[in-house]
Coordinates of all heavy atoms in Angstrom, one line a residue:
M6 N 102.2 11.5 110.2 CA 103.3 12.1 110.9 C 104.2 11.0 111.3 O 103.8 10.0 111.8 CB 102.8 12.9 112.1 CG 103.9 13.5 112.9 SD 103.4 14.2 114.5 CE 102.5 15.6 113.9
N7 N 105.5 11.3 111.2 CA 106.5 10.3 111.8 C 107.3 11.0 112.8 O 107.2 12.2 113.0 CB 107.3 9.6 110.7 CG 108.2 10.6 110.0 OD1 108.8 11.5 110.6 ND2 108.4 10.4 108.7
L8 N 108.2 10.3 113.5 CA 109.0 10.9 114.6 C 109.8 12.0 114.1 O 110.1 13.0 114.9 CB 109.8 9.8 115.2 CG 109.0 8.7 115.9 CD1 110.0 7.6 116.5 CD2 108.1 9.3 117.0
N9 N 110.3 12.0 112.9 CA 111.2 13.1 112.4 C 110.4 14.4 112.2 O 111.0 15.5 112.2 CB 111.9 12.7 111.1 CG 112.9 11.7 111.3 OD1 113.5 11.6 112.4 ND2 113.1 10.8 110.3
E10 N 109.1 14.3 112.1 CA 108.2 15.5 111.9 C 107.6 16.0 113.2 O 107.0 17.0 113.2 CB 107.1 15.1 110.9 CG 107.6 14.7 109.6 CD 106.5 14.1 108.7 OE1 105.4 13.7 109.3 OE2 106.6 14.1 107.5
D11 N 107.8 15.3 114.3 CA 107.2 15.7 115.6 C 107.8 17.0 116.0 O 109.1 17.2 116.1 CB 107.5 14.6 116.6 CG 106.8 15.0 117.9 OD1 105.6 15.3 117.9 OD2 107.5 15.0 118.9
S12 N 107.0 18.0 116.3 CA 107.5 19.3 116.8 C 106.9 19.6 118.1 O 106.8 20.8 118.5 CB 107.1 20.3 115.8 OG 105.6 20.4 115.7
S13 N 106.6 18.6 118.9 CA 106.1 18.8 120.3 C 107.1 19.5 121.1 O 108.3 19.4 121.0 CB 105.8 17.5 120.9 OG 104.9 16.8 120.2
R14 N 106.6 20.4 122.0 CA 107.4 21.1 123.0 C 106.9 21.0 124.4 O 105.7 20.8 124.6 CB 107.4 22.6 122.6 CG 107.9 23.0 121.2 CD 109.4 23.1 121.2 NE 109.8 23.6 119.9 CZ 110.2 22.8 118.9 NH1 110.2 21.5 119.0 NH2 110.7 23.3 117.8
L15 N 107.8 21.0 125.3 CA 107.4 21.0 126.7 C 108.0 22.3 127.3 O 109.1 22.7 126.9 CB 107.9 19.8 127.5 CG 107.4 18.4 127.1 CD1 108.1 17.3 127.8 CD2 105.9 18.4 127.3
F16 N 107.3 22.8 128.3 CA 107.7 24.1 128.9 C 107.9 23.8 130.4 O 107.0 23.3 131.1 CB 106.7 25.2 128.7 CG 106.5 25.4 127.2 CD1 105.5 24.7 126.5 CD2 107.3 26.3 126.5 CE1 105.3 24.9 125.1 CE2 107.1 26.5 125.1 CZ 106.1 25.8 124.5
F17 N 109.1 24.2 131.0 CA 109.3 24.1 132.4 C 109.9 25.3 133.0 O 110.8 26.0 132.3 CB 110.4 23.0 132.6 CG 109.9 21.6 132.2 CD1 110.3 21.0 131.0 CD2 109.2 20.8 133.1 CE1 109.9 19.8 130.6 CE2 108.7 19.5 132.7 CZ 109.1 19.0 131.5
P18 N 109.6 25.7 134.2 CA 110.3 26.7 134.9 C 111.7 26.2 135.1 O 112.0 25.0 135.3 CB 109.6 26.9 136.2 CG 108.3 26.1 136.1 CD 108.5 25.1 135.0
E19 N 112.7 27.1 135.1 CA 114.1 26.7 135.2 C 114.3 26.0 136.5 O 115.2 25.1 136.6 CB 115.0 28.0 135.1 CG 116.4 27.6 134.7 CD 117.2 28.8 134.3 OE1 116.7 29.6 133.5 OE2 118.3 28.9 134.8
A20 N 113.6 26.3 137.6 CA 113.7 25.6 138.8 C 113.4 24.1 138.7 O 114.0 23.3 139.5 CB 112.8 26.2 139.9
E21 N 112.6 23.7 137.8 CA 112.3 22.3 137.6 C 113.3 21.5 136.7 O 113.1 20.4 136.4 CB 110.9 22.1 137.0 CG 109.8 22.6 137.9 CD 108.4 22.4 137.4 OE1 108.2 21.7 136.4 OE2 107.5 23.0 137.9
L22 N 114.4 22.2 136.4 CA 115.5 21.6 135.5 C 116.8 21.6 136.3 O 117.8 21.6 135.7 CB 115.6 22.4 134.2 CG 114.3 22.5 133.4 CD1 114.5 23.5 132.2 CD2 114.0 21.1 132.9
A23 N 116.7 21.5 137.6 CA 117.9 21.5 138.5 C 118.7 20.3 138.1 O 118.2 19.2 137.8 CB 117.5 21.4 139.9
G24 N 120.0 20.5 138.0 CA 121.0 19.5 137.7 C 121.5 19.5 136.2 O 122.5 18.9 135.9
L25 N 120.8 20.3 135.4 CA 121.2 20.4 134.0 C 122.4 21.5 133.9 O 122.3 22.5 134.6 CB 120.1 20.8 133.1 CG 119.0 19.7 133.0 CD1 117.7 20.3 132.4 CD2 119.5 18.6 132.1
P26 N 123.3 21.2 133.0 CA 124.4 22.2 132.9 C 124.0 23.6 132.5 O 123.0 23.7 131.7 CB 125.3 21.6 131.8 CG 124.9 20.2 131.7 CD 123.5 20.1 132.2
L27 N 124.6 24.6 133.0 CA 124.2 26.0 132.8 C 124.3 26.3 131.3 O 123.4 26.9 130.7 CB 125.1 26.9 133.5 CG 124.8 28.4 133.4 CD1 123.4 28.8 133.8 CD2 125.8 29.3 134.1
E28 N 125.3 25.8 130.6 CA 125.4 26.1 129.1 C 124.3 25.4 128.3 O 123.8 26.0 127.3 CB 126.8 25.7 128.6 CG 127.2 24.2 128.7 CD 127.9 23.9 130.0 OE1 128.2 24.8 130.8 OE2 128.2 22.7 130.2
F29 N 123.8 24.3 128.8 CA 122.7 23.6 128.2 C 121.4 24.5 128.3 O 120.7 24.8 127.4 CB 122.4 22.2 128.7 CG 121.2 21.6 128.2 CD1 121.1 21.1 126.9 CD2 120.1 21.5 129.0 CE1 120.0 20.5 126.4 CE2 118.9 20.9 128.5 CZ 118.9 20.4 127.2
L30 N 121.2 25.0 129.6 CA 120.0 25.8 129.9 C 120.1 27.1 129.1 O 119.1 27.6 128.6 CB 119.9 26.1 131.4 CG 119.6 24.9 132.2 CD1 119.7 25.2 133.7 CD2 118.2 24.3 131.9
Q31 N 121.3 27.7 129.0 CA 121.4 29.0 128.2 C 121.2 28.8 126.7 O 120.8 29.8 126.1 CB 122.8 29.6 128.5 CG 122.9 30.1 129.9 CD 124.3 30.6 130.2 OE1 125.3 30.2 129.6 NE2 124.5 31.4 131.2
S32 N 121.3 27.6 126.2 CA 121.2 27.4 124.8 C 119.7 27.2 124.4 O 119.4 27.2 123.2 CB 121.9 26.1 124.4 OG 121.3 24.9 124.8
L33 N 118.8 27.1 125.4 CA 117.4 26.8 125.1 C 116.6 28.1 125.0 O 116.9 29.1 125.6 CB 116.8 26.0 126.2 CG 117.5 24.6 126.4 CD1 116.9 24.0 127.7 CD2 117.2 23.7 125.2
D34 N 115.6 28.1 124.1 CA 114.7 29.2 124.0 C 113.8 29.3 125.3 O 113.5 28.3 125.9 CB 113.7 29.0 122.8 CG 114.5 29.1 121.5 OD1 115.5 29.8 121.5 OD2 114.0 28.5 120.5
K35 N 113.4 30.5 125.6 CA 112.5 30.8 126.7 C 111.3 31.5 126.3 O 111.3 32.2 125.3 CB 113.3 31.6 127.8 CG 114.5 30.8 128.3 CD 115.1 31.4 129.5 CE 116.3 30.6 130.0 NZ 117.3 30.1 129.0
T36 N 110.2 31.3 127.0 CA 108.9 31.9 126.7 C 108.9 33.3 127.4 O 109.8 33.6 128.2 CB 107.7 31.1 127.3 OG1 107.8 31.1 128.7 CG2 107.7 29.7 126.7
Q37 N 107.9 34.1 127.1 CA 107.7 35.4 127.8 C 107.6 35.2 129.3 O 107.9 36.1 130.0 CB 106.5 36.1 127.2 CG 106.7 36.6 125.8 CD 105.5 37.3 125.3 OE1 104.4 37.3 125.9 NE2 105.6 37.9 124.1
N38 N 107.1 34.1 129.7 CA 106.9 33.8 131.2 C 108.2 33.2 131.8 O 108.2 32.7 132.9 CB 105.8 32.8 131.4 CG 104.5 33.3 131.0 OD1 104.3 34.5 130.9 ND2 103.6 32.5 130.6
K39 N 109.3 33.2 131.0 CA 110.6 32.7 131.4 C 110.7 31.2 131.6 O 111.5 30.7 132.3 CB 111.1 33.5 132.6 CG 111.2 35.0 132.4 CD 112.1 35.7 133.2 CE 112.1 37.1 132.8 NZ 113.0 38.0 133.3
E40 N 109.7 30.5 131.0 CA 109.8 29.1 131.0 C 110.7 28.6 129.9 O 110.8 29.3 128.9 CB 108.4 28.4 130.8 CG 107.5 28.6 132.0 CD 106.2 27.9 131.8 OE1 105.6 28.0 130.7 OE2 105.8 27.2 132.8
V41 N 111.4 27.5 130.2 CA 112.3 26.9 129.2 C 111.6 26.0 128.2 O 110.8 25.2 128.7 CB 113.5 26.2 129.9 CG1 114.4 25.5 129.0 CG2 114.2 27.1 130.9
K42 N 111.9 26.2 126.9 CA 111.3 25.3 125.9 C 112.2 24.1 125.6 O 113.3 24.3 125.3 CB 111.2 26.1 124.6 CG 109.9 26.8 124.3 CD 109.9 27.3 122.9 CE 109.6 28.7 122.8 NZ 109.4 29.2 121.5
L43 N 111.6 22.9 125.7 CA 112.3 21.7 125.4 C 111.6 21.0 124.3 O 110.4 21.0 124.3 CB 112.5 20.8 126.6 CG 113.4 21.4 127.7 CD1 113.1 20.6 129.0 CD2 114.8 21.3 127.3
T44 N 112.3 20.4 123.4 CA 111.8 19.5 122.4 C 111.8 18.1 122.9 O 112.3 17.8 123.9 CB 112.5 19.6 121.1 OG1 113.8 19.0 121.3 CG2 112.7 21.1 120.6
L45 N 111.2 17.2 122.1 CA 111.2 15.8 122.4 C 112.3 15.1 121.5 O 112.2 13.9 121.3 CB 109.8 15.1 122.1 CG 108.8 15.6 123.1 CD1 107.4 15.0 122.8 CD2 109.2 15.3 124.6
E46 N 113.3 15.9 121.0 CA 114.4 15.3 120.3 C 115.3 14.6 121.3 O 115.4 15.0 122.5 CB 115.2 16.4 119.6 CG 114.4 17.0 118.5 CD 115.1 18.2 117.8 OE1 116.3 18.5 118.1 OE2 114.4 18.9 117.1
S47 N 116.0 13.6 120.9 CA 116.7 12.7 121.8 C 117.7 13.4 122.6 O 117.9 13.1 123.8 CB 117.4 11.5 121.0 OG 118.2 12.0 120.0
N48 N 118.4 14.5 122.1 CA 119.4 15.2 122.9 C 118.8 15.9 124.1 O 119.4 15.9 125.2 CB 120.2 16.1 122.0 CG 119.4 17.2 121.4 OD1 118.3 17.0 121.0 ND2 120.0 18.4 121.2
H49 N 117.6 16.4 124.0 CA 116.9 17.1 125.1 C 116.4 16.0 126.1 O 116.6 16.1 127.3 CB 115.8 17.9 124.6 CG 116.2 19.2 124.0 ND1 115.3 20.2 123.6 CD2 117.4 19.7 123.7 CE1 115.9 21.2 123.1 NE2 117.2 20.9 123.1
V50 N 115.8 15.0 125.5 CA 115.3 13.9 126.4 C 116.3 13.2 127.2 O 116.2 13.0 128.4 CB 114.5 12.9 125.5 CG1 114.0 11.7 126.4 CG2 113.3 13.6 124.8
E51 N 117.4 12.9 126.5 CA 118.5 12.2 127.2 C 119.1 13.1 128.4 O 119.3 12.6 129.5 CB 119.6 11.8 126.3 CG 119.3 10.7 125.3 CD 120.3 10.5 124.2 OE1 121.4 11.1 124.2 OE2 120.0 9.7 123.3
D52 N 119.3 14.3 128.1 CA 119.8 15.2 129.2 C 118.9 15.3 130.3 O 119.3 15.3 131.5 CB 120.1 16.6 128.6 CG 121.4 16.7 127.7 OD1 122.2 15.7 127.8 OD2 121.5 17.7 127.0
I53 N 117.6 15.4 130.1 CA 116.6 15.5 131.2 C 116.6 14.2 132.0 O 116.7 14.2 133.2 CB 115.2 15.8 130.6 CG1 115.1 17.2 130.0 CG2 114.2 15.7 131.8 CD1 115.4 18.3 130.9
L54 N 116.5 13.1 131.3 CA 116.4 11.8 132.0 C 117.7 11.5 132.8 O 117.6 10.8 133.8 CB 116.1 10.7 131.0 CG 114.7 10.8 130.3 CD1 114.5 9.6 129.4 CD2 113.6 11.0 131.3
E55 N 118.8 11.9 132.3 CA 120.1 11.5 132.9 C 120.6 12.5 134.0 O 121.2 12.1 134.9 CB 121.2 11.4 131.8 CG 121.0 10.2 130.9 CD 122.1 10.1 129.8 OE1 123.1 10.8 129.9 OE2 121.8 9.4 128.9
L56 N 120.3 13.8 133.8 CA 120.9 14.8 134.6 C 119.9 15.6 135.5 O 120.4 16.1 136.5 CB 121.6 15.8 133.7 CG 122.7 15.3 132.8 CD1 123.2 16.4 131.9 CD2 123.8 14.7 133.6
C57 N 118.7 15.6 135.2 CA 117.7 16.4 136.0 C 117.5 15.8 137.3 O 117.2 14.6 137.4 CB 116.4 16.6 135.2 SG 115.3 17.7 136.1
K58 N 117.5 16.6 138.4 CA 117.3 16.1 139.7 C 115.9 16.0 140.2 O 115.6 15.5 141.2 CB 118.2 16.9 140.7 CG 119.6 16.8 140.5 CD 120.4 17.7 141.4 CE 121.9 17.5 141.2 NZ 122.7 18.3 142.1
I59 N 115.0 16.6 139.4 CA 113.6 16.7 139.7 C 112.8 15.5 139.1 O 112.7 15.4 137.9 CB 113.0 18.0 139.2 CG1 113.8 19.2 139.7 CG2 111.5 18.1 139.7 CD1 114.0 19.4 141.1
A60 N 112.4 14.6 139.9 CA 111.7 13.4 139.4 C 110.5 13.7 138.6 O 110.2 13.0 137.6 CB 111.3 12.5 140.6
K61 N 109.7 14.7 139.0 CA 108.5 15.0 138.3 C 108.8 15.5 136.9 O 108.1 15.1 135.9 CB 107.7 16.1 139.0 CG 106.5 16.6 138.3 CD 105.8 17.7 139.1 CE 104.7 18.3 138.3 NZ 104.2 19.5 138.9
T62 N 109.9 16.2 136.7 CA 110.3 16.7 135.4 C 110.7 15.5 134.5 O 110.4 15.4 133.3 CB 111.5 17.7 135.5 OG1 111.0 18.8 136.3 CG2 111.9 18.2 134.1
R63 N 111.5 14.6 135.1 CA 111.9 13.4 134.4 C 110.7 12.6 133.9 O 110.7 12.1 132.8 CB 112.9 12.5 135.2 CG 114.2 13.2 135.5 CD 115.2 12.2 136.1 NE 114.7 11.4 137.2 CZ 114.8 11.8 138.4 NH1 115.4 13.0 138.8 NH2 114.3 11.0 139.4
K64 N 109.8 12.4 134.8 CA 108.6 11.6 134.5 C 107.8 12.3 133.4 O 107.3 11.6 132.4 CB 107.7 11.4 135.7 CG 106.5 10.6 135.5 CD 105.7 10.4 136.8 CE 104.5 9.5 136.5 NZ 103.7 9.2 137.7
T65 N 107.6 13.6 133.5 CA 106.8 14.3 132.4 C 107.5 14.1 131.1 O 106.8 13.9 130.1 CB 106.7 15.8 132.8 OG1 106.0 15.9 134.0 CG2 106.0 16.6 131.7
M66 N 108.8 14.3 131.0 CA 109.6 14.2 129.8 C 109.5 12.7 129.2 O 109.2 12.5 128.1 CB 111.0 14.6 130.0 CG 111.9 14.4 128.7 SD 111.4 15.5 127.4 CE 112.2 17.0 127.8
D67 N 109.6 11.8 130.1 CA 109.6 10.3 129.7 C 108.2 10.0 129.1 O 108.2 9.3 128.1 CB 110.0 9.5 130.9 CG 110.2 8.0 130.5 OD1 110.8 7.8 129.4 OD2 109.7 7.1 131.2
M68 N 107.2 10.4 129.8 CA 105.8 10.1 129.3 C 105.6 10.8 128.0 O 105.0 10.1 127.1 CB 104.8 10.5 130.4 CG 104.9 9.6 131.6 SD 103.6 9.8 132.8 CE 102.2 9.2 131.9
A69 N 105.9 12.0 127.8 CA 105.7 12.7 126.6 C 106.5 12.1 125.4 O 106.0 11.9 124.3 CB 106.1 14.2 126.7
Y70 N 107.7 11.7 125.7 CA 108.6 11.0 124.7 C 108.0 9.7 124.3 O 108.0 9.4 123.1 CB 110.0 10.8 125.3 CG 111.0 10.3 124.3 CD1 111.5 11.1 123.3 CD2 111.5 9.0 124.3 CE1 112.4 10.7 122.4 CE2 112.4 8.6 123.4 CZ 112.9 9.4 122.5 OH 113.8 9.0 121.5
G71 N 107.4 9.0 125.2 CA 106.8 7.7 124.8 C 105.5 7.8 124.0 O 105.1 6.9 123.4
K72 N 104.9 9.0 124.1 CA 103.6 9.2 123.4 C 103.7 10.0 122.1 O 102.7 10.4 121.5 CB 102.6 9.9 124.3 CG 102.2 9.0 125.5 CD 101.1 9.7 126.3 CE 100.7 8.8 127.4 NZ 99.5 9.3 128.1
R73 N 104.9 10.2 121.7 CA 105.1 11.0 120.4 C 104.4 10.3 119.3 O 104.4 9.1 119.2 CB 106.6 11.0 120.0 CG 107.5 11.8 121.0 CD 108.9 11.6 120.6 NE 109.2 10.2 120.8 CZ 110.2 9.5 120.1 NH1 110.9 10.2 119.3 NH2 110.4 8.3 120.3
C74 N 103.7 11.1 118.5 CA 103.0 10.7 117.3 C 101.9 9.6 117.6 O 101.4 9.0 116.7 CB 103.9 10.1 116.2 SG 105.2 11.3 115.7
E75 N 101.5 9.5 118.8 CA 100.6 8.4 119.2 C 99.2 8.6 118.4 O 98.7 7.6 117.9 CB 100.3 8.5 120.7 CG 99.4 7.3 121.2 CD 99.3 7.4 122.7 OE1 98.6 8.2 123.2 OE2 100.0 6.6 123.4
D76 N 98.7 9.8 118.3 CA 97.5 10.0 117.7 C 97.5 9.7 116.2 O 96.5 9.2 115.6 CB 97.0 11.5 117.8 CG 96.7 11.8 119.2 OD1 96.4 10.9 120.0 OD2 96.7 13.0 119.6
A77 N 98.7 9.9 115.6 CA 98.8 9.6 114.1 C 99.1 8.2 113.9 O 98.7 7.6 112.8 CB 99.9 10.5 113.5
N78 N 99.8 7.5 114.7 CA 100.3 6.2 114.4 C 99.4 5.0 114.9 O 99.5 3.9 114.4 CB 101.7 6.0 115.0 CG 102.7 6.8 114.2 OD1 102.5 7.1 113.0 ND2 103.8 7.2 114.8
I79 N 98.6 5.3 116.0 CA 97.8 4.2 116.5 C 96.8 3.7 115.4 O 96.7 2.5 115.2 CB 97.0 4.6 117.8 CG1 98.0 4.9 118.9 CG2 95.9 3.6 118.2 CD1 98.7 3.7 119.5
P80 N 96.1 4.5 114.7 CA 95.2 4.0 113.6 C 96.0 3.2 112.5 O 95.5 2.2 112.0 CB 94.6 5.3 113.0 CG 94.7 6.3 114.1 CD 96.0 6.0 114.8
V81 N 97.2 3.7 112.2 CA 98.0 2.9 111.2 C 98.4 1.6 111.7 O 98.2 0.5 111.0 CB 99.3 3.7 110.8 CG1 100.2 2.9 109.9 CG2 98.9 5.1 110.2
L82 N 98.8 1.5 113.0 CA 99.1 0.2 113.6 C 97.9 -0.7 113.7 O 98.0 -1.9 113.4 CB 99.7 0.5 115.0 CG 100.2 -0.8 115.8 CD1 101.3 -1.5 115.0 CD2 100.7 -0.4 117.1
R83 N 96.8 -0.1 114.1 CA 95.6 -1.0 114.2 C 95.2 -1.6 112.8 O 94.9 -2.7 112.7 CB 94.4 -0.1 114.7 CG 93.1 -0.8 114.9 CD 92.1 0.0 115.6 NE 92.4 0.3 117.0 CZ 92.6 1.5 117.5 NH1 92.4 2.6 116.8 NH2 92.9 1.6 118.8
K84 N 95.3 -0.8 111.8 CA 95.0 -1.2 110.4 C 96.0 -2.3 110.0 O 95.6 -3.3 109.4 CB 95.2 0.0 109.4 CG 94.7 -0.3 108.0 CD 95.0 0.9 107.1 CE 93.7 1.5 106.7 NZ 94.0 2.6 105.7
L85 N 97.3 -2.2 110.3 CA 98.2 -3.2 110.0 C 98.0 -4.5 110.7 O 98.0 -5.6 110.1 CB 99.7 -2.8 110.3 CG 100.2 -1.7 109.4 CD1 101.5 -1.1 110.0 CD2 100.4 -2.2 108.0
V86 N 97.6 -4.4 112.0 CA 97.3 -5.6 112.8 C 96.1 -6.3 112.2 O 96.1 -7.6 112.0 CB 97.2 -5.3 114.3 CG1 96.6 -6.5 115.0 CG2 98.5 -4.9 114.8
L87 N 95.1 -5.6 111.9 CA 93.8 -6.2 111.4 C 94.1 -6.8 110.0 O 93.6 -7.9 109.7 CB 92.7 -5.1 111.2 CG 92.1 -4.7 112.6 CD1 91.2 -3.5 112.4 CD2 91.5 -5.8 113.3
A88 N 95.0 -6.2 109.2 CA 95.3 -6.8 107.9 C 96.0 -8.1 108.0 O 95.9 -9.0 107.2 CB 96.2 -5.8 107.1
C89 N 96.8 -8.2 109.1 CA 97.6 -9.5 109.3 C 96.7 -10.6 109.8 O 97.0 -11.8 109.7 CB 98.7 -9.2 110.3 SG 100.0 -8.2 109.6
L90 N 95.6 -10.2 110.5 CA 94.7 -11.2 111.0 C 93.8 -11.9 110.0 O 93.3 -12.9 110.2 CB 93.8 -10.6 112.1 CG 94.6 -10.1 113.4 CD1 93.6 -9.4 114.3 CD2 95.2 -11.3 114.1
F91 N 93.5 -11.2 108.9 CA 92.6 -11.7 107.9 C 93.3 -12.0 106.6 O 94.0 -11.6 106.0 CB 91.5 -10.6 107.7 CG 90.7 -10.4 108.9 CD1 90.9 -9.2 109.6 CD2 89.8 -11.3 109.4 CE1 90.1 -9.0 110.8 CE2 89.1 -11.1 110.6 CZ 89.2 -9.9 111.3

């Protein structure tokens, strides 16, 4: 899996997205529980990190963004490093 194939989603109650423009919030899909669905695509991540007033939401998004494809890519990276050592 590479970053272009990542389909991870995060779900937040709308109250945890304070500071985001109304038109942005309205453009997002919502769950049956009325939580907002966000992807880890750069346009969603940038808006959250720059505009959201809730520190916990920004931290959650930042950590998830940093761990994209981690499970798939760590073994590949480990193999490459070991190949370079020998």
Side-chain angles (χ1 to χ4, degrees):
M6 174 189 292
N7 66 39
L8 295 178
N9 290 331
E10 297 169 341
D11 184 52
S12 61
S13 300
R14 302 274 187 266
L15 295 176
F16 302 91
F17 295 98
E19 203 165 311
E21 292 182 18
L22 300 173
L25 293 165
L27 183 58
E28 59 271 356
F29 175 75
L30 292 173
Q31 290 174 339
S32 73
L33 300 171
D34 291 333
K35 298 191 178 45
T36 66
Q37 291 179 351
N38 297 335
K39 303 205 178 190
E40 288 185 316
V41 177
K42 266 192 235 185
L43 291 164
T44 69
L45 294 178
E46 294 174 11
S47 59
N48 60 326
H49 286 185
V50 175
E51 289 170 7
D52 285 346
I53 296 295
L54 296 181
E55 292 176 16
L56 303 173
C57 186
K58 294 179 180 180
I59 310 297
K61 181 182 171 190
T62 303
R63 291 192 312 268
K64 182 177 180 178
T65 299
M66 179 63 85
D67 188 44
M68 291 187 69
Y70 188 72
K72 292 183 177 191
R73 294 171 298 153
C74 302
E75 187 175 76
D76 293 339
N78 290 332
I79 294 291
V81 173
L82 181 59
R83 185 173 288 124
K84 189 185 246 184
L85 289 170
V86 169
L87 289 173
C89 290
L90 293 175
F91 300 104

